[in-house]
């Protein structure tokens, strides 16, 4: 994977709130088709870092490169232009609207007469959703009547439809049951197969160990660890989150099992 060029490079990012360092000199990258878990307690800085990449939060210093090009990330619109889509824990869906209206929200398709092209949006939504879940039928219902898994499908389909190259996922399996959690894991695998890089914010160790290629752990605004998932276990990750360091006498797990 590292033979490829990174789709995202965040170099020496700093964000302060008064005298508090929310993000302190943090660097990380992301490769095509890679899933990187971003971990840490509440207030560790992980959400700030991802909000900076999504254009939702300004940063004080540092550099962001997308596919090797330095970019200014001053708004979510800038992020979208760079191929970055964010799927928040709340999913940012309009509950009273149906799937087509949500998929094209703010980017509606128009007829040549300037009217909303409802038929085309429904047709495109049907194709987009069924490419992820062939059993998705009730696309014209309000999303408030849909399951958590179906809502995730809509949010992920929106990212794919608009050609995202980088997806930030915030707690994608929170409040989902086992079957819907498994569905989200399948969706993430489909994104990976399309070469889309994913930053996954999660507190769920099972999700992290199952879905991620690498983990980045933050504590008190600093990056305290970055490892391949195969080199660490849950206890190692918890030690980084809680203490900011690996257990004494730690060695890469992949080397120990070789």
């Amino acid at each position: 994977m590292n033979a490829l060029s990174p789709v995202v490079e965040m170099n020496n990012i700093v964000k302060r709130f008064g005298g508090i360092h929310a993000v302190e000199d943090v660097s990380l990258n992301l490769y095509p088709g890679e899933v990187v878990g971003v971990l840490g307690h509440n207030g560790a800085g992980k959400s700030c870092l991802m909000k900076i990449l999504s254009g939702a939060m300004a940063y004080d210093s540092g550099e962001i490169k997308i596919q090797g090009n330095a970019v200014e990330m001053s708004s979510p619109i800038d992020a979208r232009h760079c191929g970055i889509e964010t799927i928040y824990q709340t999913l940012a869906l309009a509950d009273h609207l149906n799937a087509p209206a949500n998929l094209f929200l703010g980017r509606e398709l128009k007829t040549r007469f300037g009217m909303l092209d409802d038929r085309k949006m429904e047709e495109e939504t049907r194709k987009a959703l069924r490419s992820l879940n062939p059993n998705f039928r009730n696309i014209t219902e309000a999303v408030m009547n849909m399951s958590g898994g179906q809502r995730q499908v809509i949010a992920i389909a929106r990212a794919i439809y608009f050609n995202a190259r980088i997806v930030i996922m915030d707690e994608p399996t929170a409040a989902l049951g086992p079957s819907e959690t498994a569905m989200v894991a399948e969706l993430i695998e489909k994104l990976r197969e399309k070469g889309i890089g994913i930053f996954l914010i999660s507190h769920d160790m099972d999700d992290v160990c199952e879905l991620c290629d690498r983990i980045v752990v933050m504590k008190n605004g600093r990056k305290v660890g970055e490892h391949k998932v195969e080199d660490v276990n849950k206890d190692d990750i918890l030690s980084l989150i809680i203490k900011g360091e690996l257990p004494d006498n730690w060695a890469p797990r992949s080397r120990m099992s070789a």
Side-chain angles (χ1 to χ4, degrees):
M1 183 174 295
N2 287 355
L4 301 171
S5 298
V7 286
V8 175
E9 297 168 80
M10 301 184 77
N11 299 318
N12 310 111
I13 301 296
V14 173
K15 173 63 180 178
R16 300 185 184 92
F17 294 102
I20 298 172
H21 289 74
V23 179
E24 180 62 18
D25 196 31
V26 173
S27 298
L28 78 165
N29 54 28
L30 178 70
Y31 289 86
E34 184 185 34
V35 182
V36 173
V38 185
L39 313 174
H41 281 311
N42 290 337
K46 63 186 187 301
S47 293
C48 284
L49 188 67
M50 291 297 101
K51 285 178 180 177
I52 287 167
L53 181 61
S54 72
M57 181 179 287
Y59 53 105
D60 296 314
S61 62
E63 179 187 54
I64 298 175
K65 289 184 176 181
I66 304 297
Q67 294 190 315
N69 299 311
V71 297
E72 289 296 326
M73 204 67 72
S74 57
S75 73
I77 293 173
D78 290 340
R80 279 184 168 176
H81 287 161
C82 292
I84 301 169
E85 291 281 343
T86 303
I87 300 173
Y88 294 103
Q89 186 174 348
T90 58
L91 298 180
L93 298 179
D95 280 346
H96 62 290
L97 298 179
N98 62 19
N102 268 284
L103 194 143
F104 289 98
L105 190 62
R107 293 180 278 195
E108 290 81 3
L109 300 181
K110 303 284 182 69
T111 68
R112 61 193 180 97
F113 302 109
M115 307 291 287
L116 289 178
D117 196 338
D118 293 321
R119 187 173 70 174
K120 181 67 172 176
M121 287 190 285
E122 182 175 330
E123 178 185 313
E124 291 295 302
T125 300
R126 217 174 277 281
K127 287 193 293 187
L129 296 181
R130 289 187 177 174
S131 73
L132 296 173
N133 179 357
N135 298 316
F136 206 122
R137 308 279 180 208
N138 55 331
I139 72 165
T140 56
E141 285 188 27
V143 299
M144 69 175 69
N145 299 323
M146 296 183 183
S147 69
Q150 287 177 313
R151 291 163 63 90
Q152 282 283 5
V153 172
I154 294 169
I156 292 171
R158 182 167 58 190
I160 293 174
Y161 185 85
F162 289 103
N163 298 315
R165 297 188 296 274
I166 302 114
V167 172
I168 302 166
M169 303 186 78
D170 183 5
E171 301 286 355
T173 61
L176 297 184
S179 63
E180 291 189 326
T181 296
M183 181 195 300
V184 172
E186 290 177 14
L187 293 173
I188 289 173
E189 191 57 39
K190 288 183 178 180
L191 293 177
R192 188 203 299 270
E193 289 170 2
K194 294 177 182 290
I196 295 170
I198 301 170
F199 281 120
L200 178 68
I201 304 171
S202 181
H203 287 94
D204 189 314
M205 288 295 140
D206 291 325
D207 275 0
V208 169
C209 293
E210 178 186 348
L211 300 173
C212 296
D213 300 293
R214 283 189 293 134
I215 59 151
V216 170
V217 180
M218 294 188 64
K219 183 176 174 63
N220 299 329
R222 293 183 174 274
K223 184 174 77 174
V224 294
E226 180 175 349
H227 299 277
K228 293 180 181 178
V229 165
E230 65 195 38
D231 286 340
V232 289
N233 61 22
K234 293 177 185 178
D235 289 339
D236 299 332
I237 297 170
L238 285 171
S239 181
L240 284 167
I241 291 171
I242 296 167
K243 299 194 301 180
E245 59 186 26
L246 289 161
D248 294 339
N249 303 316
W250 176 84
R253 306 289 169 176
S254 58
R255 195 178 303 163
M256 292 168 64
S257 60

